[in-house]
Amino acid sequence: MGGRLLAWRGPGLPAGGSGSSVDRGFERVALGLARSRGFEREVPGLARPRSFEGKAQGLARPRASSGRPGASEARELPAGRPSAPDGMGVRLKPASFAYHRAGSVPAAIALLAELGDEAKILAGGLSLVPMMNFRLARPTALVDVTRIPGLSYLRADGAGLRIGALTTHRAIETSTDPAVLAGFGVLPRAARWIGHYPIRARGTFGGSIAHADPASEWCLLALLLGAQIVLHGPGGQRVVPAEEFLQGYYTTDAAPDEMITEVWFPRPARGAVLHEFAQRQGDFAIAAAAVQADIADGTLRSVGVVVGGVGPLPVQIDTAGAAGQPARSQTWQALGELAAGQVDPPSDTHGSGEYRKRLTATLVSRALAQAAGA
């Protein structure tokens, strides 16, 4: 089923407001979260988030309605915005938005094209909705794709592994498909690092890739394993390599009227391991490392290393000189130091840049040691 269902208006800020487009809204997202991670210097030119500190900054107290003190009442939406059905005016944390539900990929694309740059796709919603609640993101419309059939699957064959965009983290974590476990076992193992059970049960693989968090487990592995991102839009299908799709802090190559439908891993991921460190179980990683090692007869034939949480993008480490080295602990430690020397992480409330460098060295060496013993 497609089309507009509901429109909400919460109390407080105007529904549109200055710079309320998705571009400006996600500039606020990038700046707000970049500042929390210490990456503000990496995202120049972003608008500062609007202050929400009371009436002096333009916030009004909720108006009483129906004799109930503090209850908000439905307000007339600006011209061009859908009006809320009778009785649907409610108090919400986010700025007002229109809600749409798409029943197919073509319907979702049509809605995105119709609604323009200010619309966003809603899948698991575990990143977008909190940002909306803090008004770091202010989309004027959401297109719910959660009920589109045929986008939740893991298909492993001779051509690699294909993962549907709506496949949950939990579905990957609990996969028992022998082809998945044999060729891509790093994915079920890596899923255990993601948040907590409710997050893994609702969050989606495609949504995580689209969100493009530089510490995301899936983004690191997509880059390490050469994943291809399958997009659908008004012009049809196009396939973009992960290294081109991920363009910066919460920035991707997807157009506003495109959606991810599948992520394709074209080659097996044997010898791949992901390690990360967070202050608490389920927190975002302060630093993370994904590695893949090809070892034969006690010698390292090739190695790939990607580290995250150290800048606005996952960083691919240049390991060209590592081939031919003996597969032993001294080699893993040296590669860890090599990785630390190729990153320039910022300092923030979670630790200094030098602390992140030491974490990078440790995580890379540990992941390589585990890969060697796999």
Side-chain angles (χ1 to χ4, degrees):
M1 178 173 64
R4 179 176 297 118
L5 295 184
L6 298 175
W8 288 292
R9 167 115 178 169
L13 296 177
S18 174
S20 65
S21 70
V22 162
D23 288 340
R24 295 290 296 225
F26 275 83
E27 284 178 355
R28 295 188 184 96
V29 172
L31 180 63
L33 295 184
R35 291 165 77 188
S36 73
R37 299 272 186 95
F39 300 148
E40 182 174 2
R41 60 188 175 88
E42 303 288 351
V43 282
L46 296 183
R48 293 189 174 276
R50 182 171 179 175
S51 173
F52 302 106
E53 298 177 357
K55 192 171 182 179
Q57 299 295 335
L59 280 179
R61 295 176 62 85
R63 293 186 295 178
S65 175
S66 304
R68 301 194 308 271
S72 67
E73 63 183 26
R75 304 178 186 177
E76 183 180 354
L77 297 179
R81 299 288 298 277
S83 61
D86 290 342
M88 295 306 298
V90 294
R91 293 181 61 185
L92 295 177
K93 292 181 181 179
S96 61
F97 61 91
Y99 172 88
H100 306 256
R101 179 178 294 155
S104 66
V105 171
I109 293 169
L111 280 168
L112 292 171
E114 173 191 346
L115 296 167
D117 293 357
E118 296 189 349
K120 291 297 294 181
I121 292 174
L122 176 67
L126 296 172
S127 297
L128 176 60
V129 171
M131 291 177 178
M132 291 174 63
N133 286 342
F134 281 108
R135 300 201 180 193
L136 294 170
R138 294 166 60 90
T140 58
L142 296 181
V143 178
D144 186 342
V145 299
T146 56
R147 298 192 184 183
I148 295 179
L151 292 183
S152 178
Y153 55 83
L154 288 90
R155 298 172 184 158
D157 53 29
L161 174 67
R162 297 181 182 274
I163 303 179
L166 294 183
T167 306
T168 65
H169 311 313
R170 180 65 175 166
I172 298 171
E173 179 185 8
T174 59
S175 175
T176 58
D177 185 336
V180 173
L181 299 179
F184 302 91
V186 64
L187 297 175
R189 293 192 300 269
R192 299 165 193 160
W193 291 102
I194 299 174
H196 304 282
Y197 174 78
I199 292 173
R200 295 196 296 274
R202 185 170 180 84
T204 65
F205 190 86
S208 181
I209 296 291
H211 189 54
D213 189 302
S216 161
E217 294 82 2
W218 299 145
C219 290
L220 265 68
L221 289 172
L223 201 57
L224 176 73
L225 304 176
Q228 304 287 311
I229 315 302
V230 181
L231 296 159
H232 277 81
Q237 174 182 300
R238 67 187 182 106
V239 181
V240 183
E243 60 185 295
E244 298 177 14
F245 182 78
L246 302 172
Q247 297 188 342
Y249 206 75
Y250 300 113
T251 305
T252 72
D253 186 52
D257 56 1
E258 289 183 313
M259 66 175 289
I260 297 174
T261 55
E262 182 181 84
V263 179
W264 172 41
F265 292 87
R267 61 177 185 269
R270 297 182 183 92
V273 171
L274 183 139
H275 262 297
E276 65 181 53
F277 176 79
Q279 291 180 323
R280 298 178 303 175
Q281 174 68 34
D283 279 2
F284 284 107
I286 296 176
V291 307
Q292 185 175 27
D294 181 8
I295 300 171
D297 300 323
T299 301
L300 184 63
R301 298 198 298 186
S302 65
V303 61
V305 176
V306 176
V307 296
V310 294
L313 274 170
V315 178
Q316 283 188 300
I317 303 301
D318 182 1
T319 59
Q325 297 295 315
R328 60 186 183 184
S329 60
Q330 293 90 334
T331 300
W332 314 145
Q333 291 170 7
L335 285 169
E337 294 299 330
L338 176 69
Q342 294 184 30
V343 298
D344 182 24
S347 298
D348 61 16
T349 56
H350 298 295
S352 66
E354 184 59 30
Y355 173 63
R356 276 194 166 90
K357 277 179 172 281
R358 302 319 314 151
L359 274 179
T360 297
T362 299
L363 291 170
V364 169
S365 62
R366 286 181 180 176
L368 286 168
Q370 183 178 339

